[in-house]
Amino acid sequence: MKNDIQIKNKRAYFDYHILDSYVAGIALLGTEIKAIRQGKANMTDAFCMFIGDVLYVRNLHVSEYSHSSFHHHDIKRDRVLLLHKKELKKLKIKGEEKGFTIVPLRIFTNERGFAKMEIAIAQGKKEFDKRDSIKDRESKREMDRAMKI
């Protein structure tokens, strides 16, 4: 299978300092994985939260599969993330600390064709950190333009 599906959450890199990342499996329905393979997912507003001892990703928008029949999946349903117990315990402890959150970074498929999600422990940026990120990005862009000429 081709491994060219890369759905990224660019907003997470702008809003958070990424501290530690994990790779989790996603429990999906048949039409959801087909839609993800078509690139029909949006992670902008997605976040992860624990309900009991299970980690869910919420607000992950997976559009309907174009060739499906009348059996459609719910577009913004909560999806279970599959991790080892040790990893879940670490995430739960760190996620409950003040100022830390669990954010999804990207969705990709592995060599066997399974959908995986990279999640991270993140700490929110302050407003001046965001301005610094914008300034760094613009200065890098200008330097690349100057080197091109």
Side-chain angles (χ1 to χ4, degrees):
M1 301 224 55
K2 285 197 274 184
N3 192 8
D4 57 354
I5 291 97
Q6 290 280 341
I7 301 167
K8 294 183 181 178
N9 187 358
K10 294 180 184 177
R11 189 80 191 165
Y13 289 102
F14 182 72
D15 287 340
Y16 299 101
H17 292 289
I18 306 301
L19 303 176
D20 195 16
S21 64
Y22 299 91
V23 175
I26 314 171
L28 296 172
L29 300 175
T31 55
E32 289 176 330
I33 185 62
K34 291 177 182 181
I36 286 174
R37 286 182 184 146
Q38 284 183 341
K40 304 285 186 185
N42 185 358
M43 301 179 66
T44 305
D45 297 330
F47 62 96
C48 299
M49 67 177 294
F50 279 94
I51 299 175
D53 289 333
V54 182
L55 183 63
Y56 289 92
V57 62
R58 302 190 89 177
N59 285 344
L60 175 64
H61 185 278
V62 179
S63 299
E64 291 180 352
Y65 179 57
S66 59
H67 300 299
S68 67
S69 62
F70 54 89
H71 296 291
H72 298 294
H73 60 271
D74 187 21
I75 292 174
K76 283 199 171 187
R77 75 177 183 92
D78 296 345
R79 293 165 180 90
V80 177
L81 294 179
L82 308 170
L83 289 160
H84 293 286
K85 278 188 179 179
K86 283 183 182 179
E87 293 173 333
L88 283 172
K89 192 182 290 185
K90 283 181 193 177
L91 284 169
K92 190 166 189 172
I93 290 169
K94 197 67 172 175
E96 290 173 350
E97 288 182 28
K98 186 173 179 175
F100 293 101
T101 187
I102 304 168
V103 294
L105 298 178
R106 67 184 180 111
I107 297 176
F108 61 97
T109 54
N110 65 0
E111 59 277 351
R112 293 176 58 193
F114 295 131
K116 301 287 183 179
M117 179 179 283
E118 184 179 356
I119 60 174
I121 296 288
Q123 187 174 21
K125 285 184 181 179
K126 304 286 186 223
E127 190 65 34
F128 62 87
D129 290 332
K130 293 179 185 180
R131 285 194 295 258
D132 288 342
S133 297
I134 293 170
K135 188 168 65 172
D136 291 341
R137 185 175 61 221
E138 287 177 357
S139 65
K140 183 179 182 281
R141 189 176 299 148
E142 287 177 14
M143 286 176 40
D144 289 343
R145 284 182 189 152
M147 294 295 286
K148 196 174 186 180
I149 294 176

